[in-house]
Amino acid sequence: MAKKSAAHVIIMGPQGAGKGTQAALVAPRLRLEHVSTGDLFRQVMAGDSELSTEIRGYVDRGALVPDALTIRMLMEYVDEVLGGESEMRGMLLDGFPRNQAQAEALDVALRERGDRLVSVVHVDVPRERLMERLTGRLVCSNCGATYHRRFNPPKVDGVCDVCGATLTQRSDDTPEAVERRLSIYYEQTAPVLDYYRAAGLLLDVDGDRPIAEISDGIVEALQSKFDAD
Ligand code: ADP
Ligand code: AMP
């Protein structure tokens, strides 16, 4: 039987813009599978292997993991999730692509699969808001759900609302690593927005608003793109 062609969406924006928060809310409403390359790396880092030591060396200092390794891990994951009888429309890619080479590698991989890119959601938040969001971020050590000490606190202090596990701070949410990650974002990742804008795929979203208001807007805009497809 011929393989179903998938329809993918990318969510972009600086670190702390709320990509993970929004992706977790909108993906199930649109039948998309949320995949975060950062989460994939954190899963590997939780293990004890040569690969986990290598990846930790990049992530903890806020550097990018090399493109070839990133692309291979992502596409293996996509094949695994969308293989067989998946009910998903496609992936919601979060944290990828991070530079022009990754964007072009993604184009090639999608073409080879016969898949298409439906939209690139750009969650925009002024740079001066990001440090505060990132240094107050708490993540669930078990399911990866994201909170903020002040802006989006869990119901019980230090405990995940979703699964009850302990909340922790990410090892790369230190002021030094955040500065490095934001510099890389503005130098290497932000220019990729122009690539997608030129292709007519960019959907600009104001991310400096209440969380639910942003997710409702993204779902509405993407739903009309899928309906028009
Ligand atoms: P990203 O995935 O883009 O790095 P996150 O989704 O992890 O960003 O969000 C970064 C931090 O900001 C988290 O602590 C999150 O709870 C908080 N946050 C997300 N969206 C908003 C918002 N609209 N207003 C205030 N804080 C937010
Ligand atoms: P994130 O969870 O998106 O903030 O990513 C956390 C870290 O994982 C980044 O600072 C990088 O070290 C690494 N990473 C995530 N996605 C990529 C990517 N597409 N390319 C290279 N490194 C990545």
Side-chain angles (χ1 to χ4, degrees), residues 13-22 94 133-134 136-138 146-148 151-152 170 207 209-211 214:
Q15 285 75 8
K19 300 181 295 297
T21 301
Q22 292 303 324
D94 162 10
R133 282 198 184 188
L134 291 164
R137 171 159 65 183
L138 295 170
T146 303
Y147 302 85
H148 190 280
F151 307 143
N152 185 23
R170 273 173 48 171
R209 291 179 295 155
I211 291 172
I214 301 168

Side-chain angles (χ1 to χ4, degrees), residues 96-115:
F96 184 95
R98 284 278 227 278
N99 57 33
Q100 186 63 27
Q102 292 186 6
E104 289 174 17
L106 181 65
D107 284 347
V108 172
L110 296 188
R111 213 175 300 127
E112 281 171 356
R113 295 175 54 91
D115 291 356

Side-chain angles (χ1 to χ4, degrees), residues 62-223:
L64 291 187
V65 175
D67 290 342
L69 177 56
T70 304
I71 291 156
R72 195 181 71 229
M73 279 192 50
L74 174 66
M75 293 321 294
E76 278 173 11
Y77 183 78
V78 171
D79 284 340
E80 199 181 301
V81 170
L82 296 183
E85 296 297 302
S86 172
E87 291 302 310
M88 293 295 166
R89 229 181 214 135
M91 311 296 292
L92 178 55
L93 298 173
D94 162 10
F96 184 95
R98 284 278 227 278
N99 57 33
Q100 186 63 27
Q102 292 186 6
E104 289 174 17
L106 181 65
D107 284 347
V108 172
L110 296 188
R111 213 175 300 127
E112 281 171 356
R113 295 175 54 91
D115 291 356
R116 67 198 185 285
L117 198 53
V118 173
S119 184
V120 177
V121 179
H122 169 214
V123 185
D124 199 14
V125 173
R127 186 169 184 162
E128 60 271 18
R129 291 258 194 286
L130 301 171
M131 182 62 82
E132 191 182 20
R133 282 198 184 188
L134 291 164
T135 51
R137 171 159 65 183
L138 295 170
V139 290
C140 175
S141 52
N142 177 48
C143 73
T146 303
Y147 302 85
H148 190 280
R149 287 180 210 283
R150 280 179 41 224
F151 307 143
N152 185 23
K155 292 193 181 80
V156 179
D157 208 18
V159 177
C160 179
D161 293 353
V162 181
C163 73
T166 307
L167 301 181
T168 56
Q169 198 170 17
R170 273 173 48 171
S171 54
D172 59 349
D173 278 346
T174 58
E176 304 72 39
V178 166
E179 274 306 334
R180 177 188 279 252
R181 286 154 61 210
L182 287 175
S183 300
I184 294 174
Y185 176 81
Y186 289 106
E187 278 163 25
Q188 296 187 35
T189 311
V192 179
L193 295 170
D194 294 332
Y195 178 70
Y196 290 126
R197 198 183 300 280
L201 289 169
L202 208 70
L203 177 71
D204 286 301
V205 171
D206 175 5
D208 195 11
R209 291 179 295 155
I211 291 172
E213 193 178 312
I214 301 168
S215 48
D216 286 347
I218 295 175
V219 169
E220 196 182 324
L222 289 180
Q223 193 59 63

Side-chain angles (χ1 to χ4, degrees), residues 15-33:
Q15 285 75 8
K19 300 181 295 297
T21 301
Q22 292 303 324
L25 293 170
V26 308
R29 294 170 67 183
L30 292 163
R31 270 196 310 118
L32 293 170
E33 182 79 25

